[in-house]
Amino acid sequence: MWSSTLRTGFVILVLVIVLVACSGCSAVQSASSNETGGFSDLTVEQFKQKIEEYRDRPSDLVILDVRTPTEFERERLRDAVNLDVSAGVFKDRAARLDRDRTYLVYCQIGTRSAHAAAIMAELGFTKVYNMKGGIVKWKEAGNPTVRGA
């Protein structure tokens, strides 16, 4: 027969083991869902290759600049369209976009575009690619930009 103290200690030990095991599982799930959150991160070179891949079928591709209109007018990638993720209407406007097209999303350094890509994935878009490092890394790699809207 177990004493009351031994039984309580055993129950606490079992609970601690279960909690540790569960917290480990949720950490693994979070990391996996971040990696497969419905969009992919691309390096500048991969982003450029993806643009080239669609050169013969440009209507299937949207290069989406999610910076402010001022930033977009100052400098942007050729053929990009602007949809400001910080404007407060991004989700509503993105929801109206064609889900069959491929979206290459970028911003200044990659933070806003990752957020925009995550929103698009949440809306059911399946072909969304975020450029890591944004237009800053694009230019550092010697790639061209254009001015104006």
Side-chain angles (χ1 to χ4, degrees):
M1 191 74 143
W2 289 23
S3 73
S4 174
T5 306
L6 247 175
R7 201 176 9 213
T8 303
F10 179 75
V11 169
I12 291 173
L13 178 62
V14 169
L15 287 174
V16 168
I17 291 170
V18 168
L19 286 173
V20 168
C22 288
S23 69
C25 291
S26 67
V28 169
Q29 288 174 342
S30 295
S32 296
S33 64
N34 287 340
E35 291 171 9
T36 60
F39 71 93
S40 299
D41 285 323
L42 300 179
T43 65
V44 167
E45 188 56 39
Q46 291 168 324
F47 197 87
K48 189 175 179 181
Q49 288 171 354
K50 193 62 88 170
I51 292 170
E52 286 299 317
E53 186 180 314
Y54 284 85
R55 186 69 58 203
D56 295 335
R57 47 194 172 111
S59 63
D60 292 341
L61 178 71
V62 176
I63 301 171
L64 190 61
D65 184 321
V66 296
R67 299 174 302 152
T68 66
T70 303
E71 290 172 297
F72 180 78
E73 289 175 16
R74 187 177 327 126
E75 183 174 47
R76 62 181 174 79
L77 274 58
R78 179 174 307 287
D79 301 324
V81 295
N82 186 224
L83 184 54
D84 183 359
V85 72
S86 61
V89 293
F90 179 83
K91 189 171 186 176
D92 290 335
R93 291 189 179 157
R96 295 185 219 138
L97 297 173
D98 183 352
R99 282 168 177 71
D100 292 329
R101 296 176 85 183
T102 297
Y103 293 87
L104 300 181
V105 186
Y106 76 94
C107 65
Q108 193 69 22
I109 60 171
T111 305
R112 288 177 283 177
S113 56
H115 177 64
I119 290 170
M120 293 177 76
E122 175 186 307
L123 290 169
F125 290 83
T126 57
K127 298 179 282 188
V128 180
Y129 301 90
N130 172 52
M131 180 168 51
K132 293 189 314 188
I135 199 169
V136 168
K137 291 289 184 188
W138 177 266
K139 291 186 321 182
E140 284 177 7
N143 295 307
T145 59
V146 296
R147 295 184 178 278

